[in-house]
Amino acid sequence: MDPSEALPPRLIVLEGESEGLSFRLDWTSTIGRDPENTIRLLDERTSRHHAVIRFADGAWTLKDLESANGTWVEEVRQDKPLRLRGGERIRMGNTVFMFEWRGELPPEPAQLELPDRSSVRILNSHRHAVELGQDEDTEPISAATAPAGDGLLKAASGSPRLEVLLRIHHALAELREMNDLADVLLDHLFGAVPARRGAVLVAHADHTLEPVAIRRPPDEPDSRIPIGRSLLRSALSRREAVMTRAEDAGVTALDEGSAITAPMVYQGRLLGVLHLESAAQFQPGDLDLVAAAAAQAAVAVANTRLLERVRKDAEHRANLQRYLAPGLVEQLLEGDLSLEPDGATRQCTLLFADLRGFTAMSEWLPSKDVFATLNAFFQRMVDVVHAHQGSVDKFIGDAVMAVWGIPDFTDDDAANAVLAAVKMQQELVHFNLEREAQGKPPLQMGIGIHSGPVLAGNLGARQRMEYTVIGDTVNVASRIERLAEARQTLVSEATMAWIRPLVHATERPAVHVKGKRDPVKTYEIHGLRDATEERSEIGRNHPRHKTAARVALTSDDGRVHQGLLADWSETGAGVKILPEQMQGLEPGMTVRLRGPEDDGDDSLEGTVVRIILARDHAGQALFKAGVRFRDPPERVRERTRGWLDLESGTSGAQIRSSSRPL
């Protein structure tokens, strides 16, 4: 072959989450969802340890690692190792690779070697590996265990050796990097036993060993450490540390010495091997000490891998939670939900929320204040979206785009979106109170919501892909948001069809929007109805009186919410409350309404059936709580006669001046 035509071995992703990427292969490359794999796939249909590709005897071989959904080559499931020649299409879960190779190999091994061909073979690349094969008369490596309890007790019988074990224990407990663990282990053992050379190898899921630390005299020109087949096989098959003369172990450089090989096993899983060689003869006490040290090292390696897996899983989860509701993230990670890698039609509800006038404000604000304001605003809005089972699709300047119905549509999507919109407007009021206390100008927001079909899938270039939704529904939702004024939430007729019984809304005149031939009808959302609300129960069929009497609502938890009685009837009342008095008041709560001179026995009992965002005549944001009385009409008339002052309206300034404690 012409050297100029040689290509290194690699897997090119043709379909799936990582489409367009390519992965260069080592002598041994593992593939799966586990972070420890050479090639990690973010594909819920692949197993944690799905398959392995390795080079041996001049050929590349693909082997399935008993994965749940199988490894398929040219749409044929492969249950046995398959020799790859180049150009094959390999499917694992939703990911499709093409294997490419023309003669070029990874770097040759330089760290370890065996004195003869055996069930253990040395491979090398930037992930120096020792492959563990299986002879017919040996059991699988993954089944090996090494009971170290007896060795630990024997080693502890001598005080100096116990001190060594304690030092190793404390040193390993403080380390989190595999290389550091191995180096410290060899440091302590070389100070306690007459070792001349040593190595620590860690085991991987594909039954390979990787040397992570090697210790040898500085006067040795050869960088390789040979490990004999019989010694390693004996240690693994007997599930305990073994000691032998160097010449029997195949260590030809130390004909007068001896060698110890101890498997590092934790809860039945082989996690590595500790190998020491001496120019002298190791003693039985040395064997016990090394066996106990290997057992301690196995625990440390298990903890290190667990912490690394937790850290990577946490990073992966955090990345998903930036956009998806936490509940959806957990379902995705567990494989209960899937995101279509290609475009798929979905029924969704879209929400756009945009700050009004912020572009002009940002022109005179310092840049750091612009970013600080937007980040604080976005954080509050995202928390509300996630709390109502939505997912954030993207941020567009000072706007938020959220979606309900991804990955799966539910009948509650539109209701959750509208509920989120109401809460977002309320949350902005609280945010403005904080800004007002800091001497900063308030923010105002308009929201638009629309429901309909979208195309959902991965969109972008090879260098940057994102899962998003596109289509006419998205465009209409954006147009409706632009129609909304400050502090206003508008929904389309398609969304209104899902939520009509749940909200207080006003129909607006239909208007033409860009890209639509027919005018679009919208509704302004004023608040949410209580699930049990009936017109007759909240006083709509009784005469209602406008008032400006100072009252207080006391909830079940003892909190007192000061406000003004805005209107009342024999069966219900509306109470205007400033945002700072709203903490803890929610629809469905039982409350007691009392006037300035009333005590607890003279109050009226009722249920908060709704809370809406209102405004006074000056445009100041207020909340209005609708209360349905439980007392009979006669008692309502009797209790209210003494403290209701009838007038036509009230302002935020009046409420603020009257909101001292009763």
Side-chain angles (χ1 to χ4, degrees):
M1 176 183 296
D2 188 337
S4 63
E5 298 179 356
L7 288 175
R10 61 177 180 167
L11 290 178
I12 303 173
V13 184
L14 302 179
E15 300 177 18
E17 185 73 21
S18 304
E19 181 177 346
L21 298 180
S22 65
F23 301 95
R24 292 191 63 162
L25 299 176
D26 295 334
W27 291 85
T28 297
S29 297
T30 58
I31 307 168
R33 287 190 294 114
D34 194 281
E36 294 183 359
N37 285 294
T38 312
I39 301 174
R40 186 190 184 191
L41 300 179
L42 300 180
D43 182 343
E44 71 275 4
R45 288 185 57 79
T46 60
S47 298
R48 287 187 174 274
H49 305 289
H50 197 100
V52 59
I53 296 178
R54 59 169 58 98
F55 185 79
D57 299 326
W60 291 96
T61 302
L62 168 69
K63 180 181 179 182
D64 183 80
L65 297 178
E66 300 181 357
S67 61
N69 293 316
T71 300
W72 302 70
V73 177
E74 304 298 347
E75 296 308 314
V76 177
R77 184 162 184 164
Q78 304 299 320
D79 297 322
K80 297 181 179 180
L82 175 70
R83 182 170 178 172
L84 300 175
R85 303 182 183 278
E88 292 90 348
R89 289 173 61 94
I90 305 169
R91 178 165 61 85
M92 303 178 192
N94 291 325
T95 305
V96 177
F97 301 99
M98 182 180 73
F99 172 70
E100 184 179 77
W101 176 56
R102 283 197 220 126
E104 185 176 329
L105 292 174
E108 289 292 335
Q111 284 274 19
L112 293 172
E113 71 168 11
L114 288 178
D116 55 65
R117 300 195 62 80
S118 66
S119 62
V120 182
R121 189 166 56 81
I122 305 306
L123 302 174
N124 191 7
S125 68
H126 68 280
R127 286 177 54 87
H128 307 288
V130 179
E131 181 181 1
L132 300 186
Q134 297 177 23
D135 286 352
E136 294 182 357
D137 59 344
T138 60
E139 57 188 10
I141 296 303
S142 58
T145 59
D150 293 341
L152 181 60
L153 292 176
K154 294 178 181 178
S157 61
S159 178
R161 299 192 184 281
L162 177 58
E163 291 179 0
V164 172
L165 288 177
L166 291 175
R167 287 198 299 270
I168 292 176
H169 171 75
H170 291 302
L172 296 183
E174 298 175 357
L175 299 176
R176 294 295 179 264
E177 296 293 333
M178 204 70 71
N179 291 346
D180 294 338
L181 289 172
D183 285 336
V184 168
L185 180 62
L186 291 179
D187 285 342
H188 283 81
L189 288 176
F190 269 57
V193 299
R196 178 176 174 82
R197 299 193 300 181
V200 177
L201 304 94
V202 295
H204 296 294
D206 64 332
H207 309 310
T208 63
L209 287 173
E210 175 190 359
V212 292
I214 292 178
R215 190 68 49 84
R216 58 184 177 274
D219 58 350
E220 284 192 0
D222 193 346
S223 63
R224 298 171 296 179
I225 296 181
I227 300 178
R229 173 182 59 180
S230 60
L231 180 61
L232 185 58
R233 179 189 296 176
S234 177
L236 296 176
S237 62
R238 294 170 59 180
R239 305 180 181 184
E240 62 183 11
V242 296
M243 179 175 64
T244 186
R245 292 183 303 170
E247 58 183 11
D248 295 333
V251 185
T252 57
L254 298 175
D255 291 338
E256 301 298 326
S258 57
I260 295 177
T261 299
M264 295 155 48
V265 178
Y266 179 70
Q267 294 185 345
R269 292 183 297 118
L270 176 71
L271 300 182
V273 172
L274 171 60
H275 177 77
L276 298 178
E277 300 171 2
S278 175
Q281 290 295 323
F282 284 122
Q283 301 302 312
D286 298 329
L287 177 63
D288 295 333
L289 177 61
V290 173
Q296 288 189 337
V299 175
V301 170
N303 289 337
T304 298
R305 288 183 169 178
L306 176 61
L307 291 173
E308 179 66 13
R309 183 177 295 108
V310 169
R311 183 186 67 80
K312 290 185 177 181
D313 286 348
E315 289 179 355
H316 185 41
R317 180 178 285 102
N319 287 333
L320 290 174
Q321 286 180 342
R322 292 169 57 196
Y323 306 103
L324 299 177
L328 295 181
V329 171
E330 294 303 323
Q331 294 180 63
L332 282 170
L333 293 176
E334 292 297 326
D336 297 331
L337 292 176
S338 62
L339 299 178
E340 294 292 339
D342 301 317
T345 301
R346 292 284 183 265
Q347 180 72 26
C348 294
T349 295
L350 277 297
L351 178 152
F352 282 84
D354 188 24
L355 290 177
R356 298 292 185 254
F358 187 77
T359 301
M361 183 189 301
S362 63
E363 292 179 355
W364 54 268
L365 282 176
S367 58
K368 65 176 182 179
D369 290 346
V370 172
F371 278 89
T373 300
L374 286 177
N375 286 335
F377 165 73
F378 287 146
Q379 186 61 62
R380 288 172 176 264
M381 298 303 109
V382 170
D383 288 344
V384 174
V385 170
H386 286 177
H388 294 87
Q389 303 306 307
S391 301
V392 174
D393 185 277
K394 61 174 63 70
F395 302 111
I396 311 169
D398 55 7
V400 180
M401 173 181 167
V403 58
W404 281 257
I406 296 294
D408 291 328
F409 165 82
T410 72
D411 291 340
D412 297 329
D413 289 338
N416 283 330
V418 173
L419 179 58
V422 172
K423 293 294 185 181
M424 289 166 72
Q425 293 284 17
Q426 294 176 357
E427 187 65 29
L428 186 60
V429 173
H430 291 291
F431 186 35
N432 281 334
L433 289 174
E434 296 179 7
R435 292 178 57 80
E436 179 183 349
Q438 299 169 2
K440 299 178 180 179
L443 303 177
Q444 297 179 339
M445 174 176 61
I447 297 177
I449 301 175
H450 180 46
S451 302
V454 301
L455 187 63
N458 290 314
L459 189 66
R462 291 181 178 180
Q463 293 84 350
R464 185 178 186 274
M465 303 284 291
E466 66 176 2
Y467 191 88
T468 187
V469 294
I470 59 175
D472 183 66
T473 299
V474 180
N475 296 333
V476 173
S478 177
R479 302 287 188 265
I480 292 175
E481 175 267 310
R482 295 179 186 178
L483 297 175
E485 300 176 2
R487 301 186 298 273
Q488 198 172 51
T489 297
L490 301 181
V491 304
S492 68
E493 190 168 25
T495 300
M496 192 66 185
W498 288 96
I499 63 169
R500 196 178 302 274
L502 308 176
V503 298
H504 296 280
T506 301
E507 183 178 345
R508 292 162 51 92
V511 296
H512 285 279
V513 299
K514 183 179 179 181
K516 300 296 291 184
R517 182 185 62 184
D518 298 327
V520 174
K521 184 183 295 185
T522 60
Y523 298 80
E524 181 179 0
I525 302 298
H526 301 294
L528 304 172
R529 295 181 183 273
D530 180 70
T532 60
E533 181 179 331
E534 299 290 342
R535 289 180 63 87
S536 60
E537 290 186 67
I538 61 174
R540 295 304 190 216
N541 292 335
H542 296 264
R544 298 186 68 80
H545 311 283
K546 290 188 175 182
T547 72
R550 188 160 57 93
V551 294
L553 292 175
T554 303
S555 52
D556 285 340
D557 58 6
R559 295 186 183 184
V560 178
H561 311 274
Q562 308 288 347
L564 282 177
L565 190 65
D567 52 72
W568 71 281
S569 74
E570 293 179 351
T571 56
V575 181
K576 289 185 176 180
I577 304 173
L578 287 172
E580 57 261 36
Q581 293 288 328
M582 282 295 299
Q583 186 68 30
L585 190 64
E586 298 286 345
M589 280 188 168
T590 299
V591 295
R592 302 199 70 84
L593 179 68
R594 62 186 178 91
E597 307 298 329
D598 289 343
D599 56 26
D601 295 334
D602 294 328
S603 60
L604 296 172
E605 185 176 7
T607 301
V608 178
V609 295
R610 65 178 177 272
I611 298 175
I612 64 174
L613 187 63
R615 292 188 288 274
D616 64 11
H617 299 303
Q620 182 176 1
L622 304 167
F623 289 101
K624 186 175 180 181
V627 179
R628 183 174 62 242
F629 291 138
R630 296 180 180 177
D631 295 279
E634 297 78 11
R635 176 170 172 77
V636 173
R637 290 194 297 268
E638 176 186 350
R639 295 311 317 142
T640 56
R641 186 177 296 118
W643 44 274
L644 292 177
D645 179 21
L646 300 178
E647 57 182 78
S648 61
T650 185
S651 68
Q654 288 175 297
I655 297 178
R656 193 176 298 279
S657 64
S658 301
S659 291
R660 62 186 183 276
L662 297 179

